[in-house]
Amino acid sequence: MAFSGKFGEEKSTIAIDKLNVTACWSGFSKPRRENSATYSSPPGWVIVGHATHIHSSNNGWRSVSVLNQGTQYASKEDMRSAYHEAHDLAVSLKDRKAAANIKTEEASALKAYTEIANSGNSVVRAVVGAQPRGTAFIDTCRGWEEISVRVTERYVGTKESILEDLKSKYKLYK
């Protein structure tokens, strides 16, 4: 379940927990095995950092990538549009003070957004692999790998959440 946050708020999440693979001998062959997992940030959140914890490894390997794909968060244009809609609503309700404050707040929010959202990453993909070692007759050993991935995410919002926050803050309800 996605939850909203405050603009710029950070949270730490175990994105991928105990991803593992084990590779065993198969007759006279030693096949490679791989396993993968993907984590997507909830709407409005971007990944700004990650850390990989290796639980166990024997003749294995790992790869962790942070990508920008598919998750919804507010673009700079979405943020500008939300502020303009809130400003127009304040004007239509004849609340000059709220309209002026929204215009002032927009400039600082857009500057902060540029600093926060530059990473724009929203997906972590982890791959683990292993291969058995030794010879078919003596010293046959399994291979394995087990990792977890923790991400740090920052809230930049969605257009809808930004607009709702502004309506609530300035009591802009018809």
Side-chain angles (χ1 to χ4, degrees), residues 6-138:
K6 260 183 114 170
F7 183 76
E9 173 187 347
E10 287 191 359
K11 68 176 181 168
S12 180
T13 304
I14 296 176
I16 299 169
D17 193 23
K18 296 189 178 180
L19 175 64
N20 63 61
V21 65
T22 301
C24 300
W25 277 85
S26 178
F28 292 104
S29 67
K30 39 185 191 175
R32 284 174 54 130
R33 299 278 187 240
E34 286 190 354
N35 196 5
S36 65
T38 303
Y39 168 82
S40 296
S41 293
W45 293 86
V46 294
I47 296 168
V48 294
H50 75 282
T52 303
H53 175 74
I54 303 164
H55 297 286
S56 183
S57 181
N58 180 43
N59 215 39
W61 60 91
R62 72 209 93 23
S63 169
V64 177
S65 303
V66 182
L67 312 165
N68 182 7
Q69 74 182 48
T71 297
Q72 177 191 13
Y73 56 89
S75 68
K76 199 169 188 175
E77 290 308 311
D78 288 338
M79 180 175 272
R80 186 175 284 121
S81 175
Y83 273 91
H84 286 206
E85 284 182 42
H87 176 266
D88 292 348
L89 182 57
V91 168
S92 74
L93 295 172
K94 299 182 183 356
D95 188 340
R96 289 183 182 157
K97 184 177 179 183
N101 287 339
I102 289 168
K103 275 295 183 194
T104 302
E105 190 178 313
E106 178 184 6
S108 62
L110 288 170
K111 182 179 185 286
Y113 176 89
T114 301
E115 294 168 4
I116 289 174
N118 275 343
S119 68
N121 297 313
S122 58
V123 176
V124 170
R125 177 168 164 71
V127 178
V128 291
Q131 186 169 10
R133 61 183 171 85
T135 64
F137 301 106
I138 52 174

